[in-house]
DNA sequence: GTCGGGTGCTGGTCTGACCAGCGAGCGGCT
DNA sequence: AGCCGCTCGCTGGTCAGACCAGCACCCGAC
């Protein structure tokens, strides 16, 4: 009886757990299930889908790995439907960089164009509140100048997050987060020279200040150019000539200057 | 006995299946496990990790959803380690667009900068073979002019894939694929007017021809500009004025013109 | 009225079973 | 001796049932 059900289900729609994953996934995509909603408990899902609890659990593990839901032990309300975030994208990207499928020049080049357009858009859309947040972040970074590079980098990332927030551009934000995070990962694993780090920090602070001015003035093109120029300055020495020339072209493309 | 082991394991590293997922994941990231390698069979993994088969299976389902491994029924060689691809990123992005978390203007704006830089890089790196492939694709698209829009779009996508290939930039290729695919999804669901479609097709062909010339000449900036200009032409009418102005700025940023 | 314990729910884990299907090895038949 | 066919053992897929820890509720005792 149950066997027959299992067989035919497998035949009809591949794996048993797949049926449930696909169903939940499409219901989330369709907006039928919204963040904050609750799925039925595992034992209720067993009844609903007519599959065994182990299959339900496999489905839940998959949905969890996609960051679509989260189960909490002993929560009578059932698995929670999560807001869709960049987390799975960042995770995949992290794997790509960790496995050296993606290397520094590619990351930096992509970051040049993404950061640039983020700045461009943020210059149009930023509110006074964003400017305040940026100023506060800059003050914080000045205070962290002599702390660890990791700590400083975190604040650096935050600066860009605020800009991404100001741009109000969800997709660019997600991609930007992922790329910046990956760049940082790679840099921290490869560039360790203490003097370099100090120079990086100082340049970061100067750069952020310039970007702030441009965004504050509503000068998008300038903010965009600054992003490309400074990324060139930071990383040009760490890539081979071929990639360096591409980076230079990306700078020139928007009217920027490459002075080494 | 086994209970104690299970408990302590859970306490030591959260979920039992997590231990296995993290281990396999890091071994793939480290290059310890390479594409084409085989994992031990489920029952061997049970012994190796000291967890129950159900937990092993949960771990395998997660690893499968990340496209890191694939299990085949009745395969005595065990789960296959896959090459790392963009598939999970595209899947996540597809969900973001399907759930309307990401909307057309954002996609198009991101595509403008990604396609542009792809073209820029491809103009430097393309080989004669790429040019041949592009010409062949253009011929095919001319032949598809009066076929379905879906069919035409597929060839359109292929044109960009060839360019991404020529750019030899894996990350840009992945992101570009994901974004272009998502744009197409959205467009096919929203823009249905037959005359529009015909106009789109003709413009696509003209545009591809111009891009081909630029890439063939090695004129990266021109190829980049063309990408932004044509995306503006295609989609400017389908977004609100605010987003249209941002698109216009993205075009002007690289010296392009907005006349449409 | 308050406090205590039972009771029932949750998710997390384990065990043991069965199925279909493939392949290897062994036995019987020619 | 050589070939054919069956059986057995392996695989992954699925299911059923059990136990645990911990939380929350309810009900009864004080």
């Amino acid at each position: 009886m149950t066997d027959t059900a299992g067989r035919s289900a497998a035949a009809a729609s591949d794996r048993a757990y797949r049926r449930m994953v696909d169903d939940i996934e499409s219901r989330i995509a369709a907006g039928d299930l919204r963040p904050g909603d609750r799925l039925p408990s595992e034992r209720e899902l067993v009844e609903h889908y007519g599959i065994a609890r182990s299959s339900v659990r496999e489905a839940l593990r998959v949905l969890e790995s996609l960051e679509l839901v989260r189960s909490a032990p002993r929560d009578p309300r059932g698995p929670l439907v999560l807001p869709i975030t960049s987390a799975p994208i960042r995770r995949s990207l992290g794997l790509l960089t960790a496995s050296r499928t993606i290397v520094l020049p590619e990351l930096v080049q992509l970051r040049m164009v993404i950061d640039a357009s983020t700045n461009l858009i943020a210059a149009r859309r930023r509110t006074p509140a964003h400017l305040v947040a940026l100023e506060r972040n800059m003050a914080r970074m000045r205070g962290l100048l002599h702390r660890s590079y990791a700590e400083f980098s975190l604040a650096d990332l935050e600066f860009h997050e605020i800009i991404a927030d100001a741009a109000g551009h969800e997709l660019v934000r997600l991609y930007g987060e992922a790329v910046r995070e990956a760049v940082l990962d790679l840099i921290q694993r490869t560039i360790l020279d203490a003097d370099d780090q100090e120079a990086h920090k100082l340049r970061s602070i100067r750069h952020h200040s310039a970007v702030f001015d441009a965004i504050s003035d509503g000068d998008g093109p300038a903010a965009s150019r600054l992003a490309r120029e400074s990324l060139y300055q930071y990383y040009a020495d760490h890539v081979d000539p071929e990639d360096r020339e591409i980076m230079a072209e990306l700078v020139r493309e928007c009217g920027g200057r490459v002075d080494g």
Side-chain angles (χ1 to χ4, degrees), chain A residues 232-244:
Chain A
Y232 180 89
Q233 283 176 22
Y234 288 156
Y235 299 114
D237 291 341
H238 301 288
V239 304
D240 62 42
E242 164 75 9
D243 281 307
R244 193 177 310 142

Side-chain angles (χ1 to χ4, degrees), chain A residues 126-137:
Chain A
R126 90 287 184 286
T127 64
H130 291 123
L131 296 179
V132 170
L134 286 174
E135 278 183 318
R136 194 151 35 209
N137 172 273

Side-chain angles (χ1 to χ4, degrees), chain A residues 28-247:
Chain A
I28 289 179
D32 190 16
L33 283 169
R34 306 181 60 79
D37 286 356
R38 296 286 180 162
L39 261 40
S41 74
E42 293 185 0
R43 279 142 178 112
E44 285 171 322
L45 289 166
V46 166
E47 287 188 37
H48 184 280
Y49 290 102
I51 58 182
R53 193 169 157 223
S54 55
S55 296
V56 167
R57 302 196 94 250
E58 288 178 25
L60 286 175
R61 290 301 86 78
V62 169
L63 292 169
E64 272 180 6
S65 86
L66 298 172
E67 307 259 351
L68 294 177
V69 308
R70 181 170 51 223
S71 298
R74 280 154 266 114
D75 188 339
R77 293 168 301 177
L80 174 67
V81 177
L82 299 175
I84 300 182
T85 71
S86 66
I89 292 181
R90 279 154 68 183
R91 179 183 190 169
S92 297
L93 194 61
L95 255 142
L96 285 167
T97 61
S99 67
R100 313 288 284 177
T101 306
I102 302 293
V103 288
L104 185 66
E106 302 204 356
L107 279 167
V108 172
Q109 285 160 18
L110 184 60
R111 191 178 154 184
M112 284 175 80
V113 301
I114 290 187
D115 275 13
S117 47
T118 308
N119 287 3
L120 183 82
I121 298 171
R124 291 186 64 86
R125 296 210 178 137
R126 90 287 184 286
T127 64
H130 291 123
L131 296 179
V132 170
L134 286 174
E135 278 183 318
R136 194 151 35 209
N137 172 273
M138 285 160 63
R140 196 153 71 82
M141 281 183 71
R142 280 192 294 272
L144 292 172
L145 190 53
H146 300 294
R147 303 290 288 275
S148 77
Y149 191 66
E151 219 169 339
F152 187 85
S153 296
L154 229 59
D156 191 334
L157 275 188
E158 193 189 274
F159 182 83
H160 295 283
E161 305 287 326
I162 297 170
I163 294 179
D165 208 48
H169 200 300
E170 194 59 22
L171 186 58
V172 157
R173 191 242 291 285
L174 301 189
Y175 274 33
E177 274 179 12
V179 171
R180 282 189 293 270
E181 202 174 79
V183 167
L184 218 62
D185 269 11
L186 226 50
I187 283 298
Q188 289 185 338
R189 278 209 300 266
T190 54
I191 302 177
L192 296 167
D193 187 286
D195 292 343
D196 271 11
Q197 288 187 5
E198 204 67 15
H200 260 68
K201 287 183 190 171
L202 282 168
R203 272 198 292 201
S204 285
I205 287 178
R206 272 206 307 278
H207 163 57
H208 285 195
S209 167
V211 169
F212 173 82
D213 290 344
I215 288 180
S216 175
D217 292 348
D219 188 347
S224 166
R225 212 178 307 127
L226 281 166
R228 298 194 183 201
E229 284 176 345
S230 69
L231 283 166
Y232 180 89
Q233 283 176 22
Y234 288 156
Y235 299 114
D237 291 341
H238 301 288
V239 304
D240 62 42
E242 164 75 9
D243 281 307
R244 193 177 310 142
E245 185 47 42
I246 288 175
M247 287 169 65

